[in-house]
């Protein structure tokens, strides 16, 4: 199972600050079922137990940095304790899945119906073609207000944070799931009419009026379909393994 995921998104593709791969558990454990999610929390562990899954595959790592203590002091420590106590394995595919061909950003592009999709900032790591973000073309040009409405509908978001609406049709769209503001200038250089990401710093919105349509939809919302990628990989490479996409919403942000 782990090898199948890592063949799709090899660990060397992850960023230097990341901690993708095995988080908790034994590598030789026989999988009874895999719960697929964005974040690993105590409630996700509880859902895995209820559904008879002894493997959790997440996008965001449970462990970003080492723990000096494992107790009941923090949510991460409690989650680790519960996973170990219940005999669960936790595997995370984070920036390696962001950077992989067919990874997170390609799934976002699929949900938007983009065509001619390519890496926005391509690179090669250990002979593997990969990159940050993607750029693609809409099936038909759209007015900016219609475009924002379509994005909101595709991702089920209650609101989108945008700069001044563009007064020209949107054709080329750049995308980076999660925190993607580091690619905004690259999107502009690529000729994109719009840039979609999950979160962006306040001051990044200034100075792009009528240059590019910024559309920020929320970190969780932008990456919510990542579990579908895990499902597709496992069903193809490990057809005997039962998969469940998590029903627990782990988004910590409420829109009130």
């Amino acid at each position: 199972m782990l090898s199948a995921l890592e063949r799709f998104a090899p660990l060397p593709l992850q960023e230097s600050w990341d901690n993708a791969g095995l988080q908790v558990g034994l590598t030789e454990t026989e999988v009874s079922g895999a719960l697929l999610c964005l974040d690993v929390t105590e409630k996700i562990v509880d859902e895995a137990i209820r559904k008879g899954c002894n493997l959790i595959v997440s996008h965001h790592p449970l462990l970003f940095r080492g723990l000096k203590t494992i107790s009941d002091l923090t949510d991460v420590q409690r989650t680790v304790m519960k996973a170990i106590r219940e005999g669960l394995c936790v595997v995370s595919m984070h920036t390696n899945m962001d950077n992989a061909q067919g990874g997170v950003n390609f799934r976002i592009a699929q949900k938007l119906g983009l065509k001619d999709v390519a890496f926005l900032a391509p690179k090669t790591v250990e002979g593997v073609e990969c990159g940050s973000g993607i750029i693609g073309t809409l099936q038909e040009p759209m007015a900016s207000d219609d475009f924002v409405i379509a994005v909101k509908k595709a991702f089920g978001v209650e609101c989108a944070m945008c700069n001044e609406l563009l007064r020209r049709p949107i054709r080329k769209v750049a995308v980076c799931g999660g925190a993607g503001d580091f690619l905004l200038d690259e999107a502009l250089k690529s000729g994109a009419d719009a840039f979609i990401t999950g979160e962006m710093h306040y001051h990044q919105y200034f100075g792009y009026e009528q240059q590019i349509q910024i559309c920020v939809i929320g970190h969780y919302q932008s990456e919510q379909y990542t579990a579908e990628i895990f499902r597709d990989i496992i069903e193809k490479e490990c057809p005997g393994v039962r998969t469940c996409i998590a029903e627990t919403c782990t988004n910590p942000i409420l829109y009130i």
Side-chain angles (χ1 to χ4, degrees):
M1 173 77 71
L2 184 57
S3 60
L5 291 165
E6 291 182 3
R7 281 195 300 272
F8 186 94
L11 290 181
L13 302 191
Q14 70 179 307
E15 302 298 332
S16 59
W17 46 263
D18 200 8
N19 186 40
L22 182 66
Q23 308 282 295
V24 175
L26 304 176
T27 57
E28 300 302 319
T29 300
E30 184 175 345
V31 179
S32 62
L35 185 70
L36 316 175
C37 59
L38 194 66
D39 310 286
V40 186
T41 65
E42 287 186 88
K43 289 183 178 179
I44 285 289
V45 172
D46 291 337
E47 182 176 346
I49 295 166
R50 286 197 311 272
K51 293 183 174 178
C53 298
N54 64 350
L55 172 65
I56 295 172
V57 181
S58 71
H59 182 44
H60 296 144
L62 173 60
L63 302 173
F64 267 111
R65 52 191 64 85
L67 294 177
K68 293 186 177 181
T69 304
I70 300 179
S71 67
D72 61 351
L73 292 178
T74 69
D75 57 339
V76 171
Q77 292 179 27
R78 290 191 296 271
T79 301
V80 169
M81 286 183 64
K82 183 175 284 191
I84 293 173
R85 184 170 63 244
E86 298 294 337
L88 272 62
C89 290
V90 178
V91 171
S92 301
M93 298 281 115
H94 191 212
T95 52
N96 54 323
M97 188 61 73
D98 288 329
N99 293 332
Q101 180 75 37
V104 176
N105 295 307
F106 287 83
R107 184 60 55 132
I108 295 172
Q110 182 188 87
K111 297 296 181 181
L112 294 169
L114 299 184
K115 60 182 181 179
D116 304 322
V117 176
F119 285 114
L120 178 60
K123 58 185 175 181
T124 302
V125 176
E126 296 188 6
V128 178
E129 292 184 7
C130 58
S132 300
I134 62 92
I135 187 165
T137 307
L138 292 170
Q139 300 293 333
E140 298 289 341
M142 300 179 70
S144 58
D145 53 348
D146 291 334
F147 172 76
V148 172
I149 290 170
V151 172
K152 288 173 61 179
K153 183 177 179 181
F155 291 86
V157 301
E158 300 171 58
C159 63
M161 292 181 288
C162 304
N163 63 342
E164 179 180 278
L165 291 180
L166 204 63
R167 293 191 294 271
R168 69 169 190 269
I170 292 174
R171 295 179 176 86
K172 292 184 72 176
V173 179
V175 170
C176 183
D181 57 5
F182 69 99
L183 285 173
L184 179 56
D185 287 330
E186 192 68 37
L188 192 61
K189 290 177 188 175
S190 73
D193 301 301
F195 178 63
I196 302 171
T197 190
E199 61 176 285
M200 209 167 78
H201 289 87
Y202 171 77
H203 293 285
Q204 291 280 124
Y205 290 84
F206 287 97
Y208 293 91
E209 295 82 5
Q210 297 309 311
Q211 294 188 63
I212 191 168
Q213 183 66 66
I214 297 169
C215 185
V216 179
I217 61 175
H219 197 124
Y220 179 93
Q221 291 88 338
S222 71
E223 296 182 326
Q224 63 184 296
Y225 299 119
T226 305
E228 295 180 359
I229 306 173
F230 300 149
R231 179 198 61 198
D232 294 348
I233 295 168
I234 295 169
E235 288 183 350
K236 180 182 178 182
E237 301 294 333
C238 311
V241 174
R242 179 173 58 90
T243 59
C244 305
I245 292 180
E247 298 175 76
T248 302
C249 177
T250 57
N251 188 2
I253 300 171
L254 298 177
Y255 297 83
I256 298 174

